[in-house]
Amino acid sequence: MAQAAIVALAANAVVLSVQAQAARGGIRSFRDSETSATGQLRVTGVGRTSSLRVAVTDIELPRGQDSDLQVQYDKTIRYDLDFSDYFNPLPNSTEMVAQNRKDQAGRQINYGAWQQLGADVIVKGEFENQGNSGNIRLYAYDVGEQETISALEFTLQFDGPEKKIREVRRAIHNFVDGMVQKYDPDGFPGCAHTYIAFVNAQWRADSGGKKMKVHEIYIMDYDGRNIRPITQDRNLCLSPAWSPDGRKLVYTSYRQANPDLYVYNLDTGRIRVLAAFPGMNSAASWHPNGGSLAITLSRDGNPEIYRINADGSNPVRLTRSRDVDTSPVYTPDGSAIYFISDRYGAPQIMRMAASGGQPSAVVRSGQNDDPAVSPKGDKIAYTSSAGGGGFNIWVADLNGGNARNLTGDLGGNCEHPSWAPDGRHLVFTHRGQIVVMDADGSDRRYITSSDRLPGENSSPAWGP
């Protein structure tokens, strides 16, 4: 079995190491020298017709059994495959268990037997524990072509059982994302390796000892696992947004009794002020090159859109209106900004060049908020009251055409859409919980709950 790469993965509950971030953001395309499989896929999910059936075998543990690792391995890889929309993990039948043992005994894969069992793809794994480190080797095989799709080895470092499971999960996420990239027509990797930032609100004592609804920033894995706090301001922290490299979060905090903008560095755990002008400093969005941000400032009176360098210098005003302009977001190529304005009465979605200038209305039906541009640059998602039924998540073309309500059956209270980096999934808030779904509104999954994290959750931001 070929070993195509060795990727060091490491993660900490709050401060993410540089190694882990590199692995998380560095899913690469498969090269022809690593696999000769052509990656034929029967299209499924959003615009597809059927997914590849995957046989997931039990992970091999040469140095003894580890029931918890076996269970977490199986749950994680099956969830990742299923969530991708490209793969359909098959139940691990007794016939499959028996066939896997025959493959192990003969040290080769009987593709014909697996085809008879209904598998299009086989995924196998091995884990070798070496004290406080270990190697996990993951393989994927195309049954019809009788070829290797992927063969990867990940070297893991851990200091206990919980850390080991986290590292195994990260390896699996990266492996499955590489499989997705092999089959995605646009070459986008999957999103299993990503994090979601969000706001959690609970009644607590604030920094002055007074009881109030405290809002803090949290992050979690894309499937809702490993929830951990980022801020501890004991005040109002709002509107997190990821830097393009996934190493920083910008957010608004009232920690100094004024809505100011701060940047949290996930590699170091350090926080710095981005903007603290008199009045409102809020609703920041990173330019795709990471060198600047679009933000909302009210230092000149009413809230306006500004561009500011990533170090907080050189704020440049981009809008000039007597009304409220806020919530700017860049298009993936950085050429334009979508934002919210009430210059036509109710809040509407506007578009302007990234350098400023005369904006044009994109969505004017109902009250609208939270614009988010797809990473593929072809759609916008937003919150809207159009059509009645409360606030829902809508998706439209960049010019506002072909608008569709994705959550009309949920009875409203749906807000804050954010795209996954694969452009095929969305996260949003529904009645105080975080929900992920396919970009057509199907396959909704609630990834937070009050028993896992008390309080109300909002403003999810899907990381790169």
Side-chain angles (χ1 to χ4, degrees):
M1 296 181 180
Q3 294 182 359
I6 297 178
V7 182
L9 300 176
N12 181 276
V14 177
V15 180
L16 306 178
S17 75
V18 176
Q19 282 184 318
Q21 285 290 320
R24 172 185 170 283
I27 301 298
R28 52 166 180 70
S29 299
F30 288 81
R31 300 190 298 272
D32 291 339
S33 61
E34 296 169 351
T35 172
S36 56
T38 56
Q40 297 298 314
L41 178 67
R42 294 181 299 277
V43 190
T44 184
V46 182
R48 298 181 289 280
T49 56
S50 66
S51 53
L52 291 171
R53 297 165 298 183
V54 183
V56 179
T57 66
D58 291 339
I59 190 170
E60 295 182 40
L61 301 167
R63 297 199 175 190
Q65 294 302 308
D66 186 331
S67 58
D68 189 37
L69 188 147
Q70 174 68 66
V71 168
Q72 294 303 322
Y73 167 84
D74 192 70
K75 288 175 61 176
T76 302
I77 201 163
R78 288 179 179 277
Y79 185 97
D80 289 356
L81 290 166
D82 178 66
F83 188 87
S84 75
D85 296 327
Y86 286 114
F87 306 105
N88 174 26
L90 298 170
N92 197 11
S93 65
T94 55
E95 292 82 5
M96 289 182 180
V97 172
Q99 185 55 52
N100 184 46
R101 288 173 179 166
K102 291 178 183 178
D103 288 353
Q104 291 172 345
R107 301 183 65 82
Q108 64 179 357
I109 295 172
N110 186 335
Y111 287 103
W114 285 104
Q115 194 166 36
Q116 290 294 317
L117 292 171
D120 300 310
V121 175
I122 310 166
V123 170
K124 292 176 177 278
E126 305 169 359
F127 181 80
E128 186 173 7
N129 199 341
Q130 300 171 344
N132 288 335
S133 66
N135 293 325
I136 183 169
R137 290 176 285 275
L138 300 167
Y139 310 92
Y141 305 93
D142 187 294
V143 173
E145 299 296 326
Q146 300 189 12
E147 293 176 332
T148 303
I149 299 170
S150 173
L152 298 177
E153 178 173 348
F154 300 83
T155 299
L156 314 179
Q157 302 292 331
F158 44 82
D159 54 11
E162 291 185 7
K163 182 74 176 293
K164 178 171 67 174
I165 294 300
R166 286 203 304 270
E167 296 303 284
V168 167
R169 279 173 45 82
R170 303 280 337 137
I172 294 169
H173 293 334
N174 281 276
F175 175 75
V176 173
D177 284 348
M179 290 178 63
V180 171
Q181 187 174 33
K182 178 68 180 178
Y183 291 106
D184 186 86
D186 299 316
F188 278 69
C191 58
H193 69 284
T194 59
Y195 300 112
I196 295 173
F198 63 100
V199 175
N200 173 262
Q202 299 184 41
W203 286 100
R204 293 177 177 172
D206 65 13
S207 55
K210 181 180 178 181
K211 192 172 184 180
M212 66 172 291
K213 185 170 274 191
V214 172
H215 294 64
E216 302 284 9
I217 307 295
Y218 283 71
I219 62 172
M220 60 184 169
D221 296 354
Y222 92 112
D223 57 1
R225 295 283 299 273
N226 296 320
I227 297 174
R228 57 269 200 200
I230 291 298
T231 63
Q232 299 181 36
D233 288 5
R234 290 189 295 169
N235 213 303
L236 296 179
C237 295
L238 308 168
S239 305
W242 292 89
S243 62
D245 63 4
R247 287 182 159 87
K248 295 179 283 293
L249 281 168
V250 62
Y251 61 96
T252 300
S253 176
Y254 284 72
R255 61 191 298 175
Q256 298 296 329
N258 189 69
D260 298 326
L261 283 167
Y262 297 84
V263 174
Y264 180 95
N265 188 311
L266 282 91
D267 290 334
T268 65
R270 294 177 180 173
I271 300 173
R272 64 175 174 84
V273 177
L274 176 71
F277 298 101
M280 178 189 299
N281 304 260
S282 66
S285 171
W286 296 83
H287 187 281
N289 68 14
S292 61
L293 300 91
I295 64 175
T296 301
L297 299 178
S298 64
R299 66 177 193 169
D300 295 326
N302 58 305
E304 300 280 3
I305 307 299
Y306 283 74
R307 181 181 66 248
I308 193 169
N309 290 339
D311 63 2
S313 65
N314 193 31
V316 176
R317 185 170 168 177
L318 301 180
T319 59
R320 297 186 179 277
S321 169
R322 296 180 179 179
D323 303 290
V324 174
D325 295 332
T326 187
S327 301
V329 290
Y330 282 99
T331 54
D333 63 1
S335 65
I337 294 174
Y338 285 78
F339 64 99
I340 298 299
S341 177
D342 66 354
R343 63 187 67 193
Y344 294 111
Q348 310 297 348
I349 298 177
M350 311 289 292
R351 175 189 170 113
M352 67 178 175
S355 59
Q358 183 63 33
S360 59
V362 175
V363 178
R364 293 182 59 178
S365 177
Q367 298 186 48
N368 304 283
D369 202 356
D370 311 317
V373 184
S374 165
K376 297 189 176 184
D378 59 346
K379 303 287 183 183
I380 54 170
Y382 54 97
T383 301
S384 181
S385 65
F391 285 97
N392 284 291
I393 307 303
W394 288 65
V395 168
D397 296 339
L398 291 182
N399 62 5
N402 298 314
R404 294 176 293 118
N405 183 349
L406 302 185
T407 59
D409 59 316
L410 293 181
N413 293 300
C414 298
E415 300 175 287
H416 310 131
S418 176
W419 291 92
D422 63 6
R424 296 183 294 104
H425 297 89
L426 286 161
V427 63
F428 66 99
T429 301
H430 179 234
R431 300 185 187 277
Q433 299 302 336
I434 308 298
V435 189
V436 294
M437 66 179 175
D438 288 355
D440 63 359
S442 64
D443 194 20
R444 298 184 193 126
R445 308 181 186 206
Y446 288 74
I447 59 172
T448 61
S449 62
S450 57
D451 58 338
R452 295 179 59 201
L453 180 65
E456 298 176 354
N457 303 306
S458 63
S459 301
W462 209 319

